[in-house]
Amino acid sequence: MKWLTAAGAAAALVVGGATIWGVGWRGLALLLAFLVSGSLLTRGGGRRTAAQVFANGAVAAVAALAGWWPVFAGTLAAATADTWATEIGAHSRTPPRLITSGAPVAAGTNGGVTLLGTAGGVLGAALIGGLTWVLGPRDLRLAAVVAVAGVLGMLIDSLLGATVQGPQDKWLDNDGVNFAMTLAGAGIAAWLT
């Protein structure tokens, strides 16, 4: 598969298997919506590694195995929102601003956000929220909770990027921040349901 390295494909099988085991075909459909949409938006069609797959999918896999549909969906909404924000925001004509101070920063700076990217992230979260309604219980409140968890997870990712992520003297790399972001999306979904 051109979107994953060999190890990434193996990791995706683990996450997909846990998803099917825990929440069935509807969970797999939601997982595929994240994977396919994010891969189609990724510039240059970059191939995801096992670490990247687990950073974005491990929390979802655990939630699926526990049968926590809202938490599973909230996790994927956060991962989708973050991916869409990054990839769509890269096309912004205005420079990003640091989420913590509002200061202009160079494109690609951890914690830098744009209006275009944020709008893209909101759309990604809304997609997963809408699919949650289509695939799961027809509960508009749950769909809204999932979308909100996605948007807040995306913003937490940017906040972590600005404060604890970086190449020097920082605590987390991009995979660590993504894992924390999906955990935040899961926690927010659990708290709101």
Side-chain angles (χ1 to χ4, degrees), residues 23-24 26-28 30 63-64 66-74 131-133 135-137 142 146:
V23 291
R26 65 187 181 142
L28 183 61
L30 209 59
W68 297 332
W69 175 251
V71 175
F72 171 79
L131 287 174
T132 299
W133 182 83
L135 297 169
L142 176 59
V146 168

Side-chain angles (χ1 to χ4, degrees), residues 62 72 140 181:
V62 170
F72 171 79
L140 286 177
M181 170 265 303

Side-chain angles (χ1 to χ4, degrees), residues 98-99 109-112 156-166 170 177:
L98 200 60
I99 194 169
T109 300
N110 295 327
I156 288 169
D157 181 275
S158 295
L159 184 60
L160 291 173
T163 58
V164 298
Q165 178 184 358
K170 297 290 185 171
V177 167

Side-chain angles (χ1 to χ4, degrees), residues 14-193:
V14 170
V15 171
T19 297
I20 291 170
W21 184 272
V23 291
W25 68 267
R26 65 187 181 142
L28 183 61
L30 209 59
L31 183 63
L32 288 173
F34 160 64
L35 175 64
V36 172
S37 69
S39 296
L40 290 174
L41 287 172
T42 300
R43 298 177 307 278
R47 298 175 75 200
R48 286 171 173 74
T49 65
Q52 291 168 320
V53 170
F54 285 130
N56 284 292
V59 176
V62 170
L65 286 172
W68 297 332
W69 175 251
V71 175
F72 171 79
T75 301
L76 290 180
T80 303
D82 177 57
T83 301
W84 283 37
T86 300
E87 300 305 333
I88 292 171
H91 299 288
S92 178
R93 292 185 179 178
T94 59
R97 294 189 172 269
L98 200 60
I99 194 169
T100 53
S101 67
V105 292
T109 300
N110 295 327
V113 297
T114 64
L115 184 58
L116 180 64
T118 302
V122 169
L123 287 175
L127 170 73
I128 299 300
L131 287 174
T132 299
W133 182 83
V134 169
L135 297 169
R138 302 292 168 112
D139 182 344
L140 286 177
R141 182 183 179 284
L142 176 59
V145 162
V146 168
V148 167
V151 171
L152 293 178
M154 168 192 68
L155 294 173
I156 288 169
D157 181 275
S158 295
L159 184 60
L160 291 173
T163 58
V164 298
Q165 178 184 358
Q168 300 169 332
D169 299 326
K170 297 290 185 171
W171 300 343
L172 295 175
D173 63 5
N174 189 60
D175 293 334
V177 167
N178 283 343
F179 179 80
M181 170 265 303
T182 59
L183 195 58
I188 292 164
W191 180 59
L192 291 175
T193 52

